[in-house]
Amino acid sequence: MMQWHQLVNDKRFGLEDYHDPKKNLTRTDFRRDYDRLVFSSPFRRLQNKTQVFPLPGSIFVHNRLTHSMEVSCVGKSMADRIAAELRRRHAGSPHGTEHFDHLGDITAAACLAHDLGNPPFGHSGEKAISTFFSEGAGKHLRPFLTEEQWSDLIRFEGNANAFRVLTHQFKGRRKGGFAMTYSTLASIVKYPYESVLATKSKFGFFNTERDDFAKVADELGLLRLSAPGEPLRYARHPLVYIVEAADDICYEVMDIEDAHKLKILSTREVIDAFMSFFPEDRREKMQFTMDAVDDPNEKIAYLRSCVVGTLVDRCAETFIANEDNILAGTFEGSLLGNIPQLERDGYARCNAISWDKIYRSAEVVDIELAGNRIITFLMEKLIEAVTNPELNYSRLLLAKFPQQYDVAAPSLFEKIQAVLDHVSAMTDVYALDLYRKLNGHSLPAV
């Protein structure tokens, strides 16, 4: 059984020698995590990374930055509600209840960071990178890599890359990467196992960060589910369930609101979908409120807030009811997958609409096609440059790499990772601009 007083740990990764658990700060280390992320370059770059719909446009829809901020708000609300109940439940514990005061700040920071490792062009960017190795020009590299390294590449995962972004010591940078607290780091890892154990290409850390994650997990008392010598697998940090639920709530509900603004979904379709979360008596009251305004976007915004609030409440209740199973590592599925049937059916209805009318819409498919073409081209040219640095074209291209990426690393896998670090950090606009320049379709202005 995992223990809350151990799971909440403000020790900073890479700065363990400077840890002072007795210091009294008006701004806690978990709040410092949050602030550190807000002021970071990787977080700012999220404003030019696709969430679902193409950017930019005449109608402002969500990008990775606005999505992450909303997830953080929702996650903190859920965690604060859970923490209030846990304080009451654990009153009189020999370890006290002060650690519950930090659950909201840890969750808020983890939610801000959860998409830091995602490449440009949405989830299609992840797919473009992995298929470059499994189906494309990168297949020829297979004989030169270990099974674990190859598995990392053909299952490239933004969540695992986020852990790398936060913890890896890039060239010229300080030890420990962002030097985040152990609890915040563990709370972003939704799939705490190696890529060789991945299902549907989901895993939590690359082979290069395996020992780093084990260090964090063992310090926090996460349950190790694998035997010595087996691929590494742990139980989730409990706060991962809250981060995951907040993420799922935001992308599902907000994607539908964006689709309404873009006229992919009608007002009637969205009202019916959002109303399905509520019993009949609540619907009548909500209809009365909607009748007071004429603007359809305002009606949808009101319903969206009602849906989000309801899902936060139900997920918090589910977490509290299953606390023992979560701490024992035996809880199955997600919080949203275990909420009451009415809300679960409403969520399933929205999910079906999203897959049928949003994720297959012309606008979304177009960005996936373009993103796949751009990333595949960049991967091919950049991999060729780091593996054949003596060529004239390679020397020119390597000069464009940011200095923190080690293109002259001693191993082939580390050189490939330098390319992945560079490509995944790109914004949509930067990737497109580089693609055009390398194809000779644009020249720098003088």
Side-chain angles (χ1 to χ4, degrees), residues 132-169:
F132 171 82
F133 296 102
S134 63
E135 303 173 7
K139 287 177 67 175
H140 76 281
L141 298 168
R142 174 65 186 91
F144 307 103
L145 301 168
T146 67
E147 178 186 355
E148 292 79 12
Q149 291 170 343
W150 186 246
S151 180
D152 284 356
L153 297 179
I154 63 173
R155 295 180 174 90
F156 180 86
E157 220 287 321
N159 190 243
N161 198 44
F163 186 79
R164 176 176 170 83
V165 168
L166 292 173
T167 59
H168 183 67
Q169 184 178 7

Side-chain angles (χ1 to χ4, degrees), residues 134-427:
S134 63
E135 303 173 7
K139 287 177 67 175
H140 76 281
L141 298 168
R142 174 65 186 91
F144 307 103
L145 301 168
T146 67
E147 178 186 355
E148 292 79 12
Q149 291 170 343
W150 186 246
S151 180
D152 284 356
L153 297 179
I154 63 173
R155 295 180 174 90
F156 180 86
E157 220 287 321
N159 190 243
N161 198 44
F163 186 79
R164 176 176 170 83
V165 168
L166 292 173
T167 59
H168 183 67
Q169 184 178 7
F170 292 98
K171 283 182 62 180
R173 303 299 176 86
R174 70 178 174 185
K175 183 181 179 182
F178 275 54
M180 306 294 281
T181 63
Y182 279 34
S183 292
T184 297
L185 287 174
S187 297
I188 72 163
V189 182
K190 293 201 290 185
Y191 317 103
Y193 43 80
E194 296 185 56
S195 63
V196 293
L197 300 175
T199 57
K200 297 182 180 180
S201 295
K202 299 296 185 182
F203 64 101
F205 44 88
F206 296 122
N207 187 254
T208 43
E209 283 71 56
R210 179 185 187 276
D211 292 342
D212 292 336
F213 182 78
K215 178 180 180 180
V216 170
D218 291 340
E219 173 76 17
L220 296 175
L222 301 189
L223 299 177
R224 187 181 287 225
L225 305 179
S226 55
E230 293 181 350
L232 203 61
R233 179 191 290 271
Y234 284 87
R236 282 177 161 187
H237 190 291
L239 297 187
V240 170
Y241 288 100
I242 305 176
V243 175
E244 177 185 51
D247 186 25
D248 290 347
I249 289 170
C250 287
Y251 80 67
E252 191 61 72
V253 176
M254 304 312 297
D255 286 355
I256 287 178
E257 185 176 17
D258 281 348
H260 174 258
K261 290 180 179 178
L262 293 170
K263 303 189 184 307
I264 295 172
L265 296 176
S266 69
T267 302
R268 187 73 260 164
E269 284 179 297
V270 179
I271 289 176
D272 289 346
F274 283 174
M275 282 288 200
S276 69
F277 285 87
F278 305 98
E280 188 60 37
D281 58 336
R282 176 78 187 277
R283 294 186 199 181
E284 292 177 1
K285 295 178 181 178
M286 294 167 65
Q287 186 64 54
F288 179 79
T289 301
M290 281 195 298
D291 290 343
V293 296
D294 295 325
D295 185 347
N297 287 330
E298 190 70 14
K299 293 177 187 285
I300 299 306
Y302 163 70
L303 288 179
R304 176 255 299 155
S305 68
C306 292
V307 172
V308 171
T310 293
L311 290 177
V312 166
D313 289 344
R314 298 296 89 80
C315 286
E317 291 162 3
T318 300
F319 186 102
I320 293 165
N322 291 277
E323 181 198 3
D324 288 345
N325 290 334
I326 290 172
L327 292 174
T330 57
F331 181 71
E332 295 184 2
S334 64
L335 294 181
L336 280 167
N338 287 275
I339 59 177
Q341 194 66 48
L342 175 64
E343 292 86 352
R344 204 183 328 157
D345 288 344
Y347 187 86
R349 178 173 180 172
C350 287
N351 188 255
I353 291 173
S354 295
W355 280 106
D356 184 44
K357 295 193 174 183
I358 297 177
Y359 305 140
R360 296 172 185 167
S361 68
E363 295 90 341
V364 174
V365 172
D366 284 346
I367 197 68
E368 289 184 355
L369 289 170
N372 188 287
R373 180 67 175 269
I374 292 168
I375 288 180
T376 299
F377 175 84
L378 294 179
M379 288 288 296
E380 184 174 351
K381 296 301 181 184
L382 296 175
I383 293 288
E384 174 70 15
V386 298
T387 53
N388 296 283
E390 73 283 356
L391 300 178
N392 180 60
Y393 186 78
S394 296
R395 288 197 297 270
L396 294 172
L397 198 50
L398 290 175
K400 293 187 65 65
F401 265 80
Q403 292 183 353
Q404 68 262 34
Y405 304 135
D406 191 3
V407 296
S411 72
L412 173 62
F413 184 66
E414 290 173 296
K415 290 177 180 177
I416 294 172
Q417 278 198 308
V419 173
L420 297 181
D421 292 333
H422 185 26
V423 171
S424 63
M426 293 179 183
T427 64

Side-chain angles (χ1 to χ4, degrees), residues 104-126:
D105 283 341
I106 297 170
T107 303
C111 288
L112 273 192
H114 82 282
D115 270 352
L116 283 188
N118 284 62
F121 306 110
H123 289 294
S124 62
E126 291 176 287

